[in-house]
């Protein structure tokens, strides 16, 4: 009788007695109903394997993994108090090793594994719902005259996006050491917006992410403002025209917003505050710009100059949103910035809002910021 062989794409080995041992994609990290985290890793049987969890390298928790059978190392961790997306570092014989069977994201200038941990305040916001329509995430490639190379933007279009209807656009910047996939991979921004739109909490909009860090070589160019100006030129001269030519967008400053997190917020603030004829809405998430590190020695501070102008002409901005985590290492700088903005009159803008979250400098704060920012935008 002929035999039939079924091929499997999943890596496999045997337990020494001819019985196959499988690992399927994305089965190396599991969160059990009781909150325990279960880890698996495939390695040589005589290897030493550990896994560390936590976005902050200095406070990562490291757990040894045991070879239970045929080089499948396992470990469990209970009592974890971390929330949201958290970096995982698997080490084999002391060397960091990507686990191909665990989720991946780009974080801290490298591709790494991670796990999404429960956050009661935002879990329902980012959960993909079956009962609503969903938007799309597209990657666009186009030539940049500013950088003289092809650039890639990640573009979210809302549910029901179609030719003939025009949408406003939010240009959204990521944190330092991340890239143009951060808001969709780490923050699940597309699900967050799908849910807000479905619940009638925000206007349907297009969101554009760009790579805002790779282009800035801080070591070779200590003048950060020069780097910011190059990014400013790319966004205004290359990106915005490309998006508005290819997509059905509303044009004009009141239909454009710019926002970012951390260093991306500083970049967004630099560009948005200096170009109020192009952007009518600004969001600065978990960042402040009053710091000697951001001042060009012997040069006029463009942040202060722009803020001073907005304070004298509050009608040029409709929404000016700022946020910070009270556990953020930068939180002390917020008080000085609040005082200055008050002196300049920016807090008198009708659409001005400052939010404080009980968070550190993390995606929990970023998600809450986006949740509270987008409902303010693009109302007639």
């Amino acid at each position: 009788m002929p035999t039939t062989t079924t091929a499997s794409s999943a890596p496999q080995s045997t337990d020494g007695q001819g019985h196959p041992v499988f690992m399927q994609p994305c089965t190396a990290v599991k969160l059990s109903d009781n909150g325990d985290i279960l880890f698996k890793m495939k390695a040589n049987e005589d290897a030493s394997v550990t896994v560390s969890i936590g976005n902050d390298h200095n406070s990562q928790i490291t757990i040894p993994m045991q070879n239970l059978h045929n080089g499948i190392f396992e470990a469990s961790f209970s009592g974890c108090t971390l929330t949201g997306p958290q970096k995982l570092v698997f080490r084999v014989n002391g060397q960091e090793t990507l686990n191909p069977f665990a989720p991946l994201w780009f974080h801290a200038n490298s591709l790494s594994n991670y796990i999404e941990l429960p956050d009661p305040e935002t879990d329902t916001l980012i959960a993909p719902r079956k009962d609503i329509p969903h938007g799309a995430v597209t990657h666009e490639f186009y030539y940049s005259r500013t950088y003289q190379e092809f650039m890639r933007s990640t573009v979210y279009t809302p549910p029901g996006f179609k030719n003939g209807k025009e949408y406003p656009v939010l240009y959204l910047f990521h944190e330092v050491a991340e890239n143009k996939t951060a808001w969709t991979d780490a923050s699940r921004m597309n699900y967050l917006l799908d849910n807000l739109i479905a619940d009638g909490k925000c206007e349907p909009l297009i969101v554009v992410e760009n790579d805002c860090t790779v282009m800035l070589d801080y070591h070779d160019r200590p003048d950060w403002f020069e780097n910011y100006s190059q990014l400013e030129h790319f966004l205004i001269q290359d990106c915005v025209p490309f998006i508005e030519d290819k997509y059905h967008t509303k044009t004009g400053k009141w239909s454009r917003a710019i926002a970012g997190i951390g260093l991306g917020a500083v970049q967004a603030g630099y560009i948005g505050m200096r170009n109020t004829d192009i952007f009518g809405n600004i969001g600065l998430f978990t960042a402040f710009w009053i710091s000697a590190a951001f001042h060009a020695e012997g040069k006029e501070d463009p942040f202060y100059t722009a803020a001073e102008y907005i304070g004298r002409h509050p009608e040029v901005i409709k929404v000016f949103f700022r946020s910070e985590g009270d556990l953020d290492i930068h939180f002390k700088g917020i008080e000085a910035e609040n005082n200055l903005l008050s002196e300049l009159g920016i807090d008198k803008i009708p659409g001005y809002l400052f939010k404080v979250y009980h968070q550190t400098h993390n995606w929990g704060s970023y998600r809450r910021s986006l949740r509270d920012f987008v409902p303010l935008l693009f109302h007639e």
Side-chain angles (χ1 to χ4, degrees), residues 241-262:
F242 171 82
I243 294 297
E244 295 189 351
D245 180 63
K246 181 164 185 178
Y247 289 81
H248 291 273
T249 67
K250 294 181 178 179
T251 57
K253 59 181 289 183
W254 305 123
S255 296
R256 300 190 197 103
I258 186 169
I261 51 178

Side-chain angles (χ1 to χ4, degrees), residues 307-325:
E308 189 177 37
Y309 173 81
I310 294 172
R312 293 198 308 266
H313 305 278
E315 71 280 359
V316 300
I317 293 294
K318 183 173 290 186
V319 174
F320 198 106
F321 177 95
R322 296 167 61 247
S323 67
E324 190 62 83

Side-chain angles (χ1 to χ4, degrees), residues 32 41 68 96 99 104 110 167 202 209 217 293 298 339:
S32 63
M41 178 77 180
L68 297 186
E96 291 190 18
N99 189 336
L104 295 168
S110 64
Y167 294 88
C202 77
E209 299 177 75
D217 191 338
N339 291 338

Side-chain angles (χ1 to χ4, degrees), residues 95-170:
Q95 298 297 314
E96 291 190 18
T97 305
L98 281 179
N99 189 336
F101 307 107
L104 295 168
W105 68 347
F106 190 88
H107 177 78
N109 278 324
S110 64
L111 191 64
S112 60
N113 296 118
Y114 81 102
I115 182 175
E116 178 73 40
L117 296 176
D119 182 346
E121 187 177 332
T122 61
D123 280 352
T124 57
L125 194 64
I126 62 170
R129 288 159 47 183
K130 297 179 181 179
D131 61 332
I132 64 171
H134 292 275
V137 175
T138 307
H139 297 286
E140 293 285 359
F141 296 84
Y142 55 98
Y143 187 76
S144 164
R145 291 171 296 175
T146 301
Y147 295 121
Q148 298 185 14
E149 63 179 280
F150 275 86
M151 296 292 289
R152 170 181 158 194
S153 296
T154 302
V155 181
Y156 165 84
T157 50
F161 178 81
K162 58 185 177 181
N163 293 340
K165 183 174 180 179
E166 297 179 340
Y167 294 88
V169 185
L170 165 61

Side-chain angles (χ1 to χ4, degrees), residues 263-280:
L263 180 60
V266 179
Q267 294 167 336
Y270 176 89
I271 297 172
M273 292 166 64
R274 283 165 44 88
N275 294 276
T276 55
D277 58 327
I278 297 174
F279 300 99

